[in-house]
Amino acid sequence: MHQLRCSSCLLAVSVAFGLVAVAGVAGAQEHPEHPKGQEHPAEHPTQAEMQAAMEQMMALGAPGEHHRHLARMVGEWTYEGKFLLPGAEQTSTGTMSAEAILGGRFVRATWRGEFLGQPFEGIGIDGYDNIQKKHVSVWMDGMGTSLYLYSGHCDGGGKETTMTGTYFDAMEGREVQDLGKMIWLDDNAFKLESYRVAPDGSRRKTMEIVARRRRS
């Protein structure tokens, strides 16, 4: 925890000194009559401005309400899923283990199971970007070498999150768009849905997974 706090401080200090550097450059450009190395004192951020910048960066880097919503994923889960492939439907079962990382700023989930008769493993990292005010997610798995990036929003209580992302589909040979939903059924169960979004805006459901918390 101390290292995390220090990292936030270093980021804030970097931003504050960045303000100083920018002001110095701007001052040199706007006042060429000043001798080199003798910038006008008024062109430097004040101590109060630097402190305010540091406090703002620390606030933006701190976990908040949305991160507490994400923390509900932490734990051990079992899941049942179905994948709606063109002309066929495949089912899958397995387990998911999720943990909070980086001081509760993100949740890392590892999914293990079977898909198309082969062992399957995937890793998802979910978070909430305080700066963009968006939920963000990255997915990777053992069936390919691509990273899938998603972002979106949730309802007021964090019960349902909707995110979209684009990626290159090797089967179709083009970039496609996906829409994903995470819906909490209760504190111990949630559902994931995925839709392929066509160029005309229509949607085709491609996946549905229901995960339930494992009882100790």
Side-chain angles (χ1 to χ4, degrees):
M1 288 298 294
H2 293 296
Q3 289 181 335
L4 290 173
R5 290 194 183 113
C6 288
S7 297
S8 298
C9 291
L10 287 173
L11 177 59
V13 170
S14 297
V15 172
F17 278 106
L19 293 175
V20 174
V22 170
V25 171
Q29 293 175 340
E30 294 175 5
H31 300 279
E33 69 276 8
H34 293 160
K36 186 176 180 180
Q38 297 182 17
E39 293 118 351
H40 197 285
E43 292 158 356
H44 290 278
T46 65
Q47 184 67 31
E49 289 171 336
M50 292 179 64
Q51 180 65 30
M54 292 175 65
E55 291 176 355
Q56 181 182 21
M57 289 304 301
M58 293 183 70
L60 288 173
E65 179 183 5
H66 291 278
H67 302 91
R68 289 190 290 274
H69 292 161
L70 287 171
R72 288 182 294 182
M73 290 178 62
V74 173
E76 304 296 322
W77 305 75
T78 59
Y79 72 84
E80 296 180 356
K82 58 182 179 181
F83 299 84
L84 308 175
L85 306 176
E89 178 179 313
Q90 296 288 331
T91 60
S92 177
T93 60
T95 62
M96 186 272 275
S97 178
E99 61 176 338
I101 60 174
L102 301 179
R105 292 166 175 81
F106 300 91
V107 173
R108 177 173 58 205
T110 302
W111 299 74
R112 295 184 176 91
E114 186 177 279
F115 183 66
L116 297 176
Q118 299 293 324
F120 172 83
E121 182 175 7
I123 297 174
I125 299 178
D126 291 276
Y128 181 80
D129 188 326
N130 289 333
I131 298 174
Q132 297 187 75
K133 299 188 183 303
K134 288 183 178 181
H135 280 264
V136 292
S137 179
V138 59
W139 172 261
M140 64 207 83
D141 59 51
M143 298 183 68
T145 58
S146 299
L147 288 175
Y148 301 91
L149 306 175
Y150 297 84
S151 64
H153 303 277
C154 71
D155 62 7
K159 181 179 179 181
E160 181 173 326
T161 303
T162 301
M163 292 191 283
T164 59
T166 58
Y167 63 93
F168 190 86
D169 189 312
M171 299 297 291
E172 297 190 23
R174 65 181 180 90
E175 190 173 72
V176 298
Q177 184 181 59
D178 268 4
L179 181 146
K181 288 180 176 288
M182 181 176 187
I183 305 166
W184 283 93
L185 306 176
D186 56 47
D187 287 341
N188 298 301
F190 64 85
K191 179 169 64 173
L192 299 176
E193 296 179 347
S194 182
Y195 298 83
R196 174 65 54 83
V197 181
D200 63 3
S202 61
R203 302 175 185 175
R204 175 175 62 84
K205 194 172 188 178
T206 57
M207 181 196 75
E208 180 176 301
I209 291 176
V210 175
R212 302 187 185 281
R213 195 181 302 274
R214 297 173 65 176
R215 303 295 184 178
S216 57

